[in-house]
Amino acid sequence: AQTVTQSQPEMSVQEAETVTLSCTYDTSENNYYLFWYKQPPSRQMILVIRQEAYKQQNATENRFSVNFQKAAKSFSLKISDSQLGDTAMYFCAFKRSTNQAGTALIFGKGTTLSVSS
Amino acid sequence: AAGVIQSPRHLIKEKRETATLKCYPIPRHDTVYWYQQGPGQDPQFLISFYEKMQSDKGSIPDRFSAQQFSDYHSELNMSSLELGDSALYFCASTTRGGDTDTQYFGPGTRLTVL
């Protein structure tokens, strides 16, 4: 069974600074997808960034980038130039790559990020 | 861009009552997922459907049932509600094809059982 671990329950950062959220996972699969979702106080689940395991290049979306280390089973999220609107719970999630439709996401416990001015 | 629609957004029920949650996926999405998120917890997968057939099953109680209809919308039926069923229920949708199979979430239905 796959597991996702986020070892930082809470983190805080000042506006304009850079912060890195950690995520490790355990799987025997070779092909899979990894995601970071953001859940602000509105509780909406918003996709931040995604990474395909077969791609060596780290994904980047504007101020958000990942450091994907497949051998170490690590998938950290870096937020550059932090903004107040980045305040949210961040979930790391794993999904097997399979021909079967409807395969579930497995979430970590989340990291609460607070950005202050 | 159109998003996943869930209704109702808020629902208050008494213990032992029934509830029905509805989910309308993004147009042209054929796969629907249901997740339950308790207070302060991560989302837990309940069940998924692809082309109106159950695809994967997680920790869904026997008191709950779900189905997907011909227009791809889905309903989660919950009976004999318990206090512990109070949670945020998310629906997500995706479509086969593409290389990421990314799930897009609706705003959730907040269920309170009194």
Side-chain angles (χ1 to χ4, degrees), chain A:
Chain A
Q2 292 83 14
T3 59
V4 178
T5 301
Q6 294 180 248
S7 59
Q8 305 153 315
E10 296 180 357
M11 293 194 71
S12 60
V13 66
Q14 299 272 10
E15 264 187 307
E17 292 184 345
T18 296
V19 63
T20 299
L21 308 184
S22 302
C23 172
T24 58
Y25 57 94
D26 187 24
T27 184
S28 58
E29 306 276 342
N30 188 49
N31 294 319
Y32 47 87
Y33 302 112
L34 295 164
F35 305 87
W36 280 97
Y37 283 89
K38 166 185 175 181
Q39 189 174 42
S42 66
R43 305 294 301 278
Q44 172 80 48
M45 290 290 284
I46 302 167
L47 175 69
V48 176
I49 200 166
R50 61 194 175 211
Q51 175 80 42
E52 295 89 341
Y54 65 87
K55 290 186 177 179
Q56 292 188 342
Q57 185 175 3
N58 289 324
T60 299
E61 288 287 343
N62 300 314
R63 298 182 295 107
F64 300 88
S65 61
V66 299
N67 183 3
F68 173 49
Q69 302 290 330
K70 190 172 183 181
K73 297 180 181 175
S74 171
F75 183 60
S76 61
L77 174 70
K78 185 172 82 170
I79 306 174
S80 303
D81 187 24
S82 296
Q83 301 175 0
L84 295 178
D86 294 333
T87 294
M89 175 77 86
Y90 287 81
F91 289 100
C92 178
F94 172 98
K95 180 186 174 302
R96 290 185 298 122
S97 175
T98 170
N99 288 330
Q100 178 189 357
T103 306
L105 287 170
I106 299 170
F107 289 89
K109 296 299 182 186
T111 296
T112 299
L113 176 67
S114 298
V115 181
S116 57
S117 56

Side-chain angles (χ1 to χ4, degrees), chain A residues 33 35 37 39 43-45 47 50 52 54-55 91 95 98-105 107-109, chain B residues 31 33 35 37 41-43 45 48 50 55-56 88 90 96 99-107 110:
Chain A
Y33 302 112
F35 305 87
Y37 283 89
Q39 189 174 42
R43 305 294 301 278
Q44 172 80 48
M45 290 290 284
L47 175 69
R50 61 194 175 211
E52 295 89 341
Y54 65 87
K55 290 186 177 179
F91 289 100
K95 180 186 174 302
T98 170
N99 288 330
Q100 178 189 357
T103 306
L105 287 170
F107 289 89
K109 296 299 182 186
Chain B
T31 307
Y33 308 76
Y35 292 86
Q37 186 180 28
Q41 298 180 6
D42 55 299
F45 172 69
S48 63
Y50 167 64
S55 181
D56 198 5
L88 187 58
F90 284 110
R96 300 205 75 182
D99 59 355
T100 60
D101 210 21
T102 300
Q103 296 179 25
Y104 295 92
F105 284 75
R110 185 180 300 277

Side-chain angles (χ1 to χ4, degrees), chain B residues 1 11 25 32 44 79:
Chain B
L11 191 59
V32 170
Q44 295 293 315
S79 63

